[in-house]
Amino acid sequence: QAQLVESGGGLVQPGGSLRLSCAASGIIFTFNTMGWYRQAPGKLRELVAQINNDGTTIYSDSTKGRFTISRPMGENRMYLEMTNLTPEDTAVYYCYAEWRQYGMPENDWGQGTQVTVSS
């Protein structure tokens, strides 16, 4: 399995910005899809943004226009630029990846990084 490691979380004031990173190791296959999910206390894990290997992206309604997902073409790492953060963005953010390994679908999650938006 791949090892996905997130970084860049922390405490930020409302209206501030953060940049999250996700790097993968231990895998020779190129991810088909990478994404960011988040989970706030007492809530279900939800999609934040997703980027496919062809560069197409998907955003949740709550993050569209404020967050930008990016990924160097063909590389197993990605970033999430978060701007105009609000307390509602407070959550643990998880990196997610899907790929095919010898024809079989595989996926994995990172351990998560905490983002706290508070004054």
Side-chain angles (χ1 to χ4, degrees):
Q1 287 292 76
Q3 288 186 322
L4 303 175
V5 179
E6 304 95 337
S7 61
L11 174 65
V12 63
Q13 292 187 340
S17 301
L18 277 177
R19 185 178 191 242
L20 304 183
S21 301
C22 174
S25 62
I27 185 167
I28 62 172
F29 302 95
T30 300
F31 295 147
N32 294 333
T33 296
M34 297 188 75
W36 290 98
Y37 286 73
R38 67 186 181 186
Q39 187 166 17
K43 295 188 177 181
L44 297 175
R45 190 172 296 189
E46 63 176 0
L47 174 70
V48 174
Q50 174 181 302
I51 186 165
N52 300 317
N53 207 23
D54 61 1
T56 57
T57 57
I58 297 173
Y59 292 91
S60 68
D61 288 343
S62 63
T63 62
K64 195 177 301 181
R66 298 187 299 124
F67 292 9
T68 303
I69 190 170
S70 63
R71 175 186 176 190
M73 192 67 70
E75 296 191 26
N76 288 343
R77 55 190 172 97
M78 69 172 173
Y79 306 95
L80 185 69
E81 298 279 355
M82 304 186 294
T83 64
N84 195 20
L85 286 160
T86 73
E88 289 69 35
D89 296 314
T90 296
V92 177
Y93 285 68
Y94 296 92
C95 173
Y96 172 79
E98 294 179 354
W99 68 97
R100 296 193 74 84
Q101 186 162 320
Y102 304 117
M104 298 298 293
E106 298 282 353
N107 63 80
D108 207 355
W109 295 86
Q111 293 298 307
T113 184
Q114 177 70 46
V115 172
T116 302
V117 185
S118 175
S119 55

Short mmCIF file of all heavy atoms in Angstrom, two decimals, residues 58-85:
data_model
loop_
_atom_site.label_atom_id
_atom_site.label_comp_id
_atom_site.label_asym_id
_atom_site.label_seq_id
_atom_site.Cartn_x
_atom_site.Cartn_y
_atom_site.Cartn_z
N ILE A 58 -12.95 18.54 -9.07
CA ILE A 58 -14.28 18.62 -8.49
C ILE A 58 -14.14 19.30 -7.14
O ILE A 58 -13.21 19.00 -6.39
CB ILE A 58 -14.89 17.22 -8.30
CG1 ILE A 58 -15.09 16.52 -9.64
CG2 ILE A 58 -16.22 17.30 -7.55
CD1 ILE A 58 -15.52 15.07 -9.51
N TYR A 59 -15.06 20.20 -6.83
CA TYR A 59 -15.06 20.88 -5.54
C TYR A 59 -16.44 20.73 -4.90
O TYR A 59 -17.46 20.69 -5.59
CB TYR A 59 -14.76 22.37 -5.70
CG TYR A 59 -13.35 22.68 -6.13
CD1 TYR A 59 -13.03 22.81 -7.47
CD2 TYR A 59 -12.35 22.84 -5.18
CE1 TYR A 59 -11.72 23.08 -7.87
CE2 TYR A 59 -11.05 23.13 -5.56
CZ TYR A 59 -10.75 23.24 -6.90
OH TYR A 59 -9.46 23.52 -7.30
N SER A 60 -16.46 20.71 -3.58
CA SER A 60 -17.74 20.77 -2.89
C SER A 60 -18.28 22.19 -3.00
O SER A 60 -17.53 23.15 -3.24
CB SER A 60 -17.56 20.40 -1.42
OG SER A 60 -16.82 21.40 -0.75
N ASP A 61 -19.58 22.33 -2.84
CA ASP A 61 -20.19 23.66 -2.94
C ASP A 61 -19.64 24.61 -1.88
O ASP A 61 -19.51 25.81 -2.12
CB ASP A 61 -21.71 23.55 -2.79
CG ASP A 61 -22.36 22.91 -4.00
OD1 ASP A 61 -21.72 22.86 -5.07
OD2 ASP A 61 -23.51 22.46 -3.87
N SER A 62 -19.28 24.08 -0.71
CA SER A 62 -18.83 24.93 0.38
C SER A 62 -17.40 25.44 0.19
O SER A 62 -17.01 26.41 0.85
CB SER A 62 -18.94 24.18 1.71
OG SER A 62 -18.08 23.06 1.71
N THR A 63 -16.63 24.80 -0.69
CA THR A 63 -15.24 25.22 -0.86
C THR A 63 -14.96 25.83 -2.23
O THR A 63 -13.92 26.44 -2.44
CB THR A 63 -14.29 24.04 -0.66
OG1 THR A 63 -14.55 23.04 -1.65
CG2 THR A 63 -14.46 23.45 0.73
N LYS A 64 -15.90 25.68 -3.15
CA LYS A 64 -15.70 26.21 -4.50
C LYS A 64 -15.48 27.72 -4.45
O LYS A 64 -16.22 28.45 -3.79
CB LYS A 64 -16.92 25.87 -5.36
CG LYS A 64 -16.72 26.02 -6.85
CD LYS A 64 -17.97 25.57 -7.60
CE LYS A 64 -18.35 24.14 -7.30
NZ LYS A 64 -19.53 23.70 -8.05
N GLY A 65 -14.45 28.17 -5.13
CA GLY A 65 -14.15 29.60 -5.15
C GLY A 65 -13.21 30.06 -4.05
O GLY A 65 -12.64 31.14 -4.12
N ARG A 66 -13.04 29.23 -3.01
CA ARG A 66 -12.14 29.59 -1.91
C ARG A 66 -10.92 28.67 -1.86
O ARG A 66 -9.84 29.10 -1.46
CB ARG A 66 -12.87 29.52 -0.57
CG ARG A 66 -14.04 30.46 -0.43
CD ARG A 66 -14.59 30.44 0.98
NE ARG A 66 -15.07 29.11 1.37
CZ ARG A 66 -14.64 28.44 2.44
NH1 ARG A 66 -13.72 28.97 3.22
NH2 ARG A 66 -15.13 27.25 2.73
N PHE A 67 -11.12 27.42 -2.23
CA PHE A 67 -10.05 26.42 -2.18
C PHE A 67 -9.61 26.08 -3.60
O PHE A 67 -10.43 26.05 -4.53
CB PHE A 67 -10.52 25.14 -1.50
CG PHE A 67 -10.81 25.27 -0.02
CD1 PHE A 67 -10.82 26.51 0.62
CD2 PHE A 67 -11.06 24.13 0.73
CE1 PHE A 67 -11.08 26.61 1.97
CE2 PHE A 67 -11.32 24.23 2.09
CZ PHE A 67 -11.34 25.47 2.71
N THR A 68 -8.33 25.77 -3.74
CA THR A 68 -7.80 25.34 -5.04
C THR A 68 -6.94 24.10 -4.84
O THR A 68 -5.97 24.13 -4.08
CB THR A 68 -6.95 26.44 -5.68
OG1 THR A 68 -7.73 27.62 -5.83
CG2 THR A 68 -6.46 26.00 -7.05
N ILE A 69 -7.31 23.03 -5.55
CA ILE A 69 -6.53 21.80 -5.50
C ILE A 69 -5.60 21.78 -6.70
O ILE A 69 -5.96 22.23 -7.80
CB ILE A 69 -7.46 20.57 -5.49
CG1 ILE A 69 -6.67 19.29 -5.20
CG2 ILE A 69 -8.25 20.45 -6.78
CD1 ILE A 69 -7.57 18.07 -4.95
N SER A 70 -4.40 21.28 -6.50
CA SER A 70 -3.45 21.20 -7.60
C SER A 70 -2.57 19.97 -7.45
O SER A 70 -2.41 19.43 -6.33
CB SER A 70 -2.58 22.46 -7.68
OG SER A 70 -1.80 22.61 -6.51
N ARG A 71 -2.01 19.56 -8.57
CA ARG A 71 -1.18 18.36 -8.57
C ARG A 71 -0.25 18.42 -9.78
O ARG A 71 -0.74 18.60 -10.91
CB ARG A 71 -2.08 17.12 -8.69
CG ARG A 71 -1.35 15.81 -8.81
CD ARG A 71 -2.33 14.70 -9.07
NE ARG A 71 -1.66 13.43 -9.29
CZ ARG A 71 -2.25 12.33 -9.71
NH1 ARG A 71 -3.57 12.33 -9.94
NH2 ARG A 71 -1.57 11.22 -9.89
N PRO A 72 1.05 18.31 -9.59
CA PRO A 72 1.96 18.27 -10.74
C PRO A 72 1.58 17.08 -11.63
O PRO A 72 1.39 15.97 -11.12
CB PRO A 72 3.33 18.10 -10.11
CG PRO A 72 3.18 18.62 -8.73
CD PRO A 72 1.79 18.26 -8.32
N MET A 73 1.48 17.31 -12.92
CA MET A 73 1.03 16.26 -13.85
C MET A 73 1.86 15.00 -13.70
O MET A 73 3.10 15.04 -13.77
CB MET A 73 1.12 16.79 -15.29
CG MET A 73 0.42 15.91 -16.29
SD MET A 73 -1.39 15.88 -16.06
CE MET A 73 -1.81 17.54 -16.58
N GLY A 74 1.16 13.88 -13.48
CA GLY A 74 1.82 12.59 -13.43
C GLY A 74 2.55 12.30 -12.13
O GLY A 74 3.19 11.25 -12.01
N GLU A 75 2.44 13.18 -11.14
CA GLU A 75 3.13 12.95 -9.88
C GLU A 75 2.14 12.61 -8.77
O GLU A 75 0.98 13.03 -8.79
CB GLU A 75 3.94 14.19 -9.47
CG GLU A 75 5.05 14.51 -10.44
CD GLU A 75 5.98 15.56 -9.90
OE1 GLU A 75 6.07 15.68 -8.66
OE2 GLU A 75 6.62 16.26 -10.71
N ASN A 76 2.60 11.84 -7.82
CA ASN A 76 1.75 11.39 -6.72
C ASN A 76 1.86 12.33 -5.52
O ASN A 76 2.17 11.91 -4.41
CB ASN A 76 2.12 9.96 -6.31
CG ASN A 76 1.69 8.95 -7.34
OD1 ASN A 76 0.85 9.23 -8.20
ND2 ASN A 76 2.25 7.75 -7.27
N ARG A 77 1.61 13.59 -5.75
CA ARG A 77 1.53 14.56 -4.67
C ARG A 77 0.56 15.64 -5.08
O ARG A 77 0.32 15.85 -6.28
CB ARG A 77 2.90 15.16 -4.33
CG ARG A 77 3.64 15.80 -5.50
CD ARG A 77 5.07 16.13 -5.11
NE ARG A 77 5.85 16.57 -6.27
CZ ARG A 77 6.06 17.84 -6.57
NH1 ARG A 77 5.56 18.79 -5.79
NH2 ARG A 77 6.79 18.18 -7.62
N MET A 78 -0.02 16.29 -4.09
CA MET A 78 -0.99 17.33 -4.41
C MET A 78 -1.01 18.37 -3.29
O MET A 78 -0.42 18.16 -2.22
CB MET A 78 -2.38 16.73 -4.61
CG MET A 78 -2.99 16.21 -3.34
SD MET A 78 -4.72 15.73 -3.55
CE MET A 78 -4.99 14.98 -1.95
N TYR A 79 -1.70 19.46 -3.58
CA TYR A 79 -1.76 20.58 -2.67
C TYR A 79 -3.19 21.10 -2.59
O TYR A 79 -3.99 20.90 -3.51
CB TYR A 79 -0.83 21.70 -3.16
CG TYR A 79 0.58 21.22 -3.40
CD1 TYR A 79 0.99 20.83 -4.68
CD2 TYR A 79 1.48 21.10 -2.35
CE1 TYR A 79 2.27 20.35 -4.90
CE2 TYR A 79 2.76 20.61 -2.56
CZ TYR A 79 3.15 20.24 -3.84
OH TYR A 79 4.41 19.76 -4.05
N LEU A 80 -3.48 21.77 -1.51
CA LEU A 80 -4.77 22.42 -1.35
C LEU A 80 -4.52 23.81 -0.79
O LEU A 80 -4.07 23.96 0.35
CB LEU A 80 -5.69 21.63 -0.40
CG LEU A 80 -7.10 22.18 -0.27
CD1 LEU A 80 -7.87 21.96 -1.58
CD2 LEU A 80 -7.84 21.51 0.88
N GLU A 81 -4.77 24.81 -1.63
CA GLU A 81 -4.67 26.20 -1.18
C GLU A 81 -6.04 26.60 -0.65
O GLU A 81 -7.03 26.54 -1.38
CB GLU A 81 -4.29 27.11 -2.36
CG GLU A 81 -2.95 26.80 -2.97
CD GLU A 81 -1.80 27.41 -2.18
OE1 GLU A 81 -2.05 28.16 -1.22
OE2 GLU A 81 -0.64 27.12 -2.53
N MET A 82 -6.07 27.01 0.61
CA MET A 82 -7.33 27.37 1.25
C MET A 82 -7.28 28.85 1.61
O MET A 82 -6.35 29.29 2.30
CB MET A 82 -7.54 26.53 2.51
CG MET A 82 -7.50 25.04 2.24
SD MET A 82 -7.92 24.04 3.70
CE MET A 82 -6.53 24.43 4.76
N THR A 83 -8.25 29.60 1.12
CA THR A 83 -8.30 31.03 1.41
C THR A 83 -9.64 31.38 2.02
O THR A 83 -10.61 30.61 1.97
CB THR A 83 -8.11 31.85 0.12
OG1 THR A 83 -9.19 31.59 -0.78
CG2 THR A 83 -6.80 31.50 -0.56
N ASN A 84 -9.70 32.58 2.61
CA ASN A 84 -10.93 33.08 3.22
C ASN A 84 -11.55 32.02 4.14
O ASN A 84 -12.76 31.73 4.06
CB ASN A 84 -11.93 33.49 2.14
CG ASN A 84 -13.05 34.35 2.68
OD1 ASN A 84 -12.93 34.94 3.75
ND2 ASN A 84 -14.15 34.40 1.96
N LEU A 85 -10.72 31.47 5.01
CA LEU A 85 -11.18 30.39 5.89
C LEU A 85 -12.15 30.90 6.93
O LEU A 85 -12.06 32.05 7.40
CB LEU A 85 -9.97 29.75 6.57
CG LEU A 85 -9.12 28.86 5.64
CD1 LEU A 85 -7.73 28.66 6.20
CD2 LEU A 85 -9.81 27.52 5.44
#
